Amino acid sequence: MSEIHLQETSHSSPRIKNAPSKTEVSVPFSYSASDDGIDENLLILLHGLGDTHLPFSNLGRQLKLPQTAVLALRAPEQVPFLYEDAFQWYTSFDGLGGLIERPNPTPALNLLGKVVKHLIDGCGWPSHKIHLFGFAQGGSVAAEFGIEWWKLFRASRTPADLPSSATKGTLGSIISISGPLLSYPTLSVKNPTPILIVHSLLPSETALPAGAVADLRKAYANVAEKTSKEPGMPSSRAGWQPIMEFWSTHLGRRQADGLYEVMTGTTSVPP
């Protein structure tokens, strides 16, 4: 009979994380700690073109995901020609008001990189506990940022280090609602961060271009695709079901303090 060893569970990050600092995050944002008092996951919400962070802040609180804090960011640029609160993550229109076919998301990626660095260094969030959710233009930024983050991690590691530490360079997960990649991915090693792309097959402004899912599969090793009968953001229980199922798989759960881990199994028992 094999021996059974008990080891008290330990956590490398604090149960309650520091809130982001307004001096370190250069755009307006809304942050809500987890309702249950355990900040195990951080969900960053990125709105679409012409919106603000406020509706997504309300959405994040309504989701009430367990052990999950929510950070909704506002895009940095005002949409031109509009006199209302409407923002864009990168320059999207030319001087005549037409949509730019190949926009440059670099300013948004640099902004998000600085935010994530602050969340890790200043707030205590491990990168693999940070999850991104974006709609349309925000989804494109989330998917592009996942690639940039993976490239930065690989560039900072020696090849011998990668097999044992690769997962430490990933984000927790990414969900893009109708947001395609804007670049042509060229990665020697695909990003292992799990990503879910949700889109409608119905003709709409947010319909994905041809080949969008194939492009994601060139950059990410773990791509899940779900089609929806609803164009735009999900608005029904059926529309949200695949998203909630994805989160149920990829959001972390922190064991309560004082539990002991059974080293020969997966059950935790009280002392």
Side-chain angles (χ1 to χ4, degrees), residues 60-205:
R61 288 193 293 268
Q62 292 169 1
L63 288 172
K64 295 186 180 299
L65 296 172
Q67 299 188 7
T68 302
V70 176
L71 174 63
L73 298 172
R74 199 206 71 186
E77 300 181 20
Q78 174 80 37
V79 175
F81 315 115
L82 295 180
Y83 299 96
E84 59 189 55
D85 285 339
F87 295 87
Q88 58 188 2
W89 290 101
Y90 43 80
T91 301
S92 307
F93 300 93
D94 59 27
L96 299 177
L99 276 173
I100 298 173
E101 287 190 10
R102 287 292 174 187
N104 179 11
T106 300
L109 302 183
N110 291 341
L111 166 66
L112 196 51
K114 292 177 181 177
V115 171
V116 170
K117 186 177 186 302
H118 168 59
L119 293 170
I120 294 171
D121 296 340
C123 303
W125 289 101
S127 66
H128 64 282
K129 297 295 185 180
I130 296 175
H131 304 258
L132 303 182
F133 176 97
F135 169 60
Q137 192 176 96
S140 292
V141 171
E144 290 285 351
F145 180 74
I147 295 174
E148 288 302 306
W149 187 257
W150 179 238
K151 287 180 179 178
L152 287 173
F153 170 73
R154 283 184 53 80
S156 67
R157 312 294 294 184
T158 63
D161 290 333
L162 283 173
S164 62
S165 60
T167 56
K168 296 179 182 178
T170 66
L171 300 171
S173 69
I174 300 171
I175 295 179
S176 174
I177 308 296
S178 303
L181 287 175
L182 304 173
S183 62
Y184 296 103
T186 54
L187 298 176
S188 58
V189 177
K190 292 182 180 181
N191 187 344
T193 300
I195 183 170
L196 169 66
I197 177 71
V198 180
H199 65 102
S200 173
L201 299 177
L202 300 175
S204 69
E205 292 183 357

